[in-house]
């Protein structure tokens, strides 16, 4: 018996399933060619999907860092100079820090534009002399525990925490950073005296991250967002100038008194 004949006997022993033994639905499936499944990726994203927006701005101001920091930490005065801030108040203070000073620990802000106005609460963290941070919604601070121990020890966990409400902002982090930036006079030249003293200057940085719960608010804010950080820090710069009364701090008695008050000294 040759190989071909043996193969025919082997196939004859295998069970046969013809189209006649299939039901109507199975037959249709059997006869119809099955297309390959394809995965489709959307090319257009929903413009109303809320997303985290980030803004930043930096200025160098000719004032001592301690004086500038005191103005930033005075959260209750924000409504007097920050754009879109209609009302600001401190609702809770921290425990005393190492120097015995209490800092804002929670604030209530009312912000608005056009006919829209919303109220929300923020947790405030002050790292004396360098950082003032406000967080809200589900956001957690990234500051080190030892830097903000005076805040954590003063929080009452039995009191309702309104700052975690996500009905307006699901994510909020605003951080002011202050760094001394000493001014060095230029090299002597024909037009510039060589005995100019170094001036005390401060670099002020503002970083903002936010995400609205309402997708319509998020969409509306995207148009204005790129300008907001610049507007805020420019408004702050004007506030510093008005509080410290001019580009320097060694002028008249009134000006010197304001500066000494912000530096924690008693005015003469």
């Amino acid at each position: 018996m040759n190989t071909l004949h043996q193969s025919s006997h082997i196939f004859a022993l295998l069970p046969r399933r013809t189209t006649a033994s299939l039901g109507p639905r199975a037959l249709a499936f059997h006869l119809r060619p099955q297309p390959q499944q394809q995965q489709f990726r959307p090319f257009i994203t929903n413009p109303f999907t809320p997303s985290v927006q980030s803004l930043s701005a930096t200025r160098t101001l000719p004032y001592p860092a301690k004086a500038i920091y005191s103005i930033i930490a005075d959260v209750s005065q924000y409504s007097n100079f920050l754009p879109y801030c209609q009302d600001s108040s401190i609702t809770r203070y921290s425990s005393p820090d190492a120097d015995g000073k209490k800092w804002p620990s929670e604030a209530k802000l009312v912000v608005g534009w056009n006919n829209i106005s919303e109220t929300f609460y923020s947790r405030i963290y002050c790292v004396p002399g360098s950082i003032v941070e406000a967080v809200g919604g589900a956001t957690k601070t990234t500051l080190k525990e030892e830097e903000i121990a005076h805040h954590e020890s003063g929080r009452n966990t039995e009191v309702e925490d309104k700052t975690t409400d996500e009905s307006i902002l699901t994510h909020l982090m605003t951080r002011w950073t202050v760094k001394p930036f000493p001014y060095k006079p230029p090299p002597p030249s024909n037009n510039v005296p060589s005995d100019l003293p170094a001036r005390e200057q401060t670099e002020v940085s503002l970083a903002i991250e936010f995400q609205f719960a309402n997708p319509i608010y998020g969409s509306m804010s995207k148009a204005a967002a790129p300008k907001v950080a610049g507007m805020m820090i420019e408004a702050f710069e004007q506030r510093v100038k008005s509080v410290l009364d001019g580009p320097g701090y060694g002028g008249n008695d009134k000006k010197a008194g304001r500066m000494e008050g912000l530096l924690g000294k008693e005015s003469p």
Side-chain angles (χ1 to χ4, degrees):
M1 186 181 293
N2 57 35
T3 304
L4 180 60
H5 187 64
Q6 290 177 349
S7 299
S8 63
H9 280 278
I10 293 173
F11 282 108
L13 296 175
L14 296 175
R16 296 183 180 181
R17 190 179 184 186
T18 65
T19 56
S21 63
L22 300 174
R25 294 185 179 179
L27 178 60
F29 182 84
H30 182 78
L31 297 177
R32 187 184 302 120
Q34 300 303 308
Q36 294 182 351
Q37 294 183 353
Q38 298 182 0
Q39 295 181 351
F40 295 94
R41 180 178 299 175
F43 292 96
I44 301 177
T45 57
N46 185 354
F48 295 105
T49 301
S51 59
V52 176
Q53 301 181 56
S54 301
L55 313 169
S56 62
T58 302
R59 290 288 189 280
T60 300
L61 305 179
Y63 301 98
K66 189 172 182 178
I68 290 181
Y69 184 84
S70 295
I71 296 175
I72 296 174
D74 193 2
V75 180
S76 61
Q77 296 298 313
Y78 280 12
S79 57
N80 291 330
F81 65 94
L82 285 182
Y84 309 116
C85 185
Q86 300 175 345
D87 188 41
S88 55
S89 58
I90 299 171
T91 55
R92 193 174 300 171
Y93 283 87
S94 71
S95 298
D97 62 9
D99 296 324
K101 181 177 178 59
K102 293 184 177 181
W103 299 93
S105 192
E106 182 183 282
K108 173 186 174 183
L109 298 178
V110 180
V111 296
W113 60 96
N114 295 332
N115 296 323
I116 301 174
S117 181
E118 296 286 1
T119 301
F120 63 93
Y121 291 77
S122 299
R123 298 182 297 283
I124 310 297
Y125 296 96
C126 296
V127 180
S130 59
I131 295 174
V132 176
E133 181 182 85
V135 299
T139 310
K140 303 295 183 182
T141 182
T142 57
L143 296 172
K144 297 178 180 179
E145 292 184 5
E146 58 269 24
E147 293 177 323
I148 55 174
H150 51 289
H151 285 286
E152 297 302 333
S153 61
R155 296 194 187 277
N156 188 347
T157 56
E158 296 180 359
V159 177
E160 179 186 3
D161 189 355
K162 298 180 180 180
T163 67
T164 58
D165 180 24
E166 299 182 40
S167 60
I168 299 174
L169 289 162
T170 59
H171 174 76
L172 173 66
M173 178 176 286
T174 301
R175 180 179 289 188
W176 294 87
T177 304
V178 174
K179 295 179 180 180
F181 190 80
Y183 168 81
K184 294 182 180 180
S189 67
N190 295 332
N191 299 325
V192 180
S194 59
D195 57 348
L196 285 177
R199 292 183 300 173
E200 194 169 9
Q201 296 191 124
T202 303
E203 181 182 86
V204 182
S205 300
L206 172 62
I208 307 172
E209 291 182 2
F210 64 95
Q211 181 177 11
F212 284 103
N214 188 326
I216 296 179
Y217 283 5
S219 180
M220 292 171 58
S221 67
K222 285 182 179 179
K227 301 178 181 179
V228 169
M231 292 172 60
M232 289 180 65
I233 204 162
E234 286 177 10
F236 173 74
E237 184 175 0
Q238 294 302 316
R239 173 69 175 178
V240 170
K241 289 180 179 179
S242 66
V243 172
L244 302 184
D245 194 18
Y249 59 90
N252 57 40
D253 293 341
K254 180 180 178 182
K255 183 185 301 181
R258 289 182 182 180
M259 178 62 64
E260 289 178 353
L262 287 168
L263 293 176
K265 303 176 183 177
E266 293 183 0
S267 301

